[in-house]
Every structure is written in C-alpha cells, then in structure tokens.
Amino acid sequence: MSINTILNTLYQNYAQFFSPAQMMDIQRTSISLVKKGWIQIPSDYIQFLHITDGLSWNGLELFSIHEHERRDSVFGQPTLLAYQMEYSLKQLFAKALIVGRFCEELILYRSDLKEYHIVDRYTFDVIIKLPRLTDVLHFYAKPVLSSS
C-alpha cells in the first residue's frame, strides 16, 4: 500500500495534516541534525514531509520540520529537531532519529540498520522493527485501512 493511499485513508478518518515542507527546509533540518551529531532524515520520511509536514491522528504523531498549531488544541505539532533535543543524552539515539510517538511509544529510524523501530518510551525496549515508514503507518492504522 502506498504512502498516498494510507495518508488519504487517515485524512478521511480525521487525521490532521499540514502544508507540505519545502525541500530547502528539509535539507536545512537534516544538516542541523547531522551537525548536532544525529543522523539525516531518511528518504521515505522526506517523501512523507513532501506530502504533509507532520501528522496527528488518533494519538499518533509524526514530527514535522516546522512548528504547527494543531486544530482545536493548545498543543503544537512537535518538530524533528526539538524532539531529538529532548532525548539527546541517550546513547541509543546516536544512530537513530526520533520521527514520532504514539502514547507510550517512540518511533525511531535506525540508520545503522536501515529500519524503523517502535520502542517503549521509558525502557527503550524494541516492540517491533519495520522496514519502511509505510509499514509504520500501516501498523498503527491497520483497523482503519482494513475497513476501507
């Protein structure tokens, strides 16, 4: 299932999307991440950012390049850079980029393994490993995707 198909289904199920990020802004953020000792934004996540600069749906948040206010909320959409800073002292994240969260889970991209990991937010134990961002989206949206 393509990322566009998954995102379209989530949009129909009240996901909040944002204006697409511009390539220059994505590159600037990626360079900032590398300069601070983290990894670049993975290519499939860049593809996602070209469609929507972040996502908020049913507890799932995929982080953005720019800060956005969520509709009907006092909370903002977290950015990749800001959220990475929050966990900057954890050695686990030297070769990983935190791209999102869901309840008590973090969604990481591991550059050394070229895969996404969903980990417990407190123990950092791996819950599941997935090869692509589309698999991560499918993991969280399976009930909605199955019914469409």
Side-chain angles (χ1 to χ4, degrees):
M1 190 174 286
S2 77
I3 193 163
N4 286 326
T5 302
I6 294 170
L7 292 176
N8 186 46
T9 302
L10 294 181
Y11 181 76
Q12 293 172 11
N13 283 272
Y14 309 105
Q16 184 170 5
F17 289 80
F18 304 97
S19 297
Q22 299 298 312
M23 191 59 189
M24 182 182 285
D25 295 330
I26 295 169
Q27 289 173 337
R28 200 174 293 135
T29 299
S30 210
I31 289 168
S32 293
L33 288 164
V34 170
K35 282 183 177 180
K36 292 182 182 296
W38 299 307
I39 66 166
Q40 293 183 44
I41 302 169
S43 60
D44 59 349
Y45 204 82
I46 290 172
Q47 180 187 3
F48 163 77
L49 292 167
H50 282 298
I51 299 167
T52 176
D53 186 21
L55 167 72
S56 182
W57 176 76
N58 203 26
L60 174 64
E61 295 175 303
L62 294 179
F63 302 148
S64 60
I65 297 298
H66 302 286
E67 289 186 32
H68 303 285
E69 287 188 26
R70 294 186 224 155
R71 68 177 169 251
D72 304 326
S73 176
V74 296
F75 297 104
Q77 181 70 19
T79 67
L80 285 168
L81 195 53
Y83 210 81
Q84 197 72 21
M85 300 279 290
E86 191 171 321
Y87 284 88
S88 65
L89 299 177
K90 305 290 184 198
Q91 279 299 329
L92 168 68
F93 303 114
K95 294 180 181 171
L97 182 65
I98 305 167
V99 297
R101 63 183 174 196
F102 178 79
C103 298
E104 302 303 324
E105 300 165 356
L106 295 176
I107 303 163
L108 315 173
Y109 178 76
R110 292 284 309 263
S111 64
D112 55 336
L113 303 172
K114 306 245 184 285
E115 62 189 11
Y116 288 87
H117 290 190
I118 298 172
V119 302
D120 181 279
R121 196 174 185 167
Y122 301 105
T123 65
F124 307 118
D125 292 335
V126 176
I127 297 167
I128 189 168
K129 298 176 184 180
L130 299 163
R132 297 175 308 268
L133 182 61
T134 53
D135 298 315
V136 172
L137 288 166
H138 196 272
F139 177 78
Y140 287 110
K142 190 173 184 176
V144 173
L145 295 170
S146 299
S147 67
S148 60

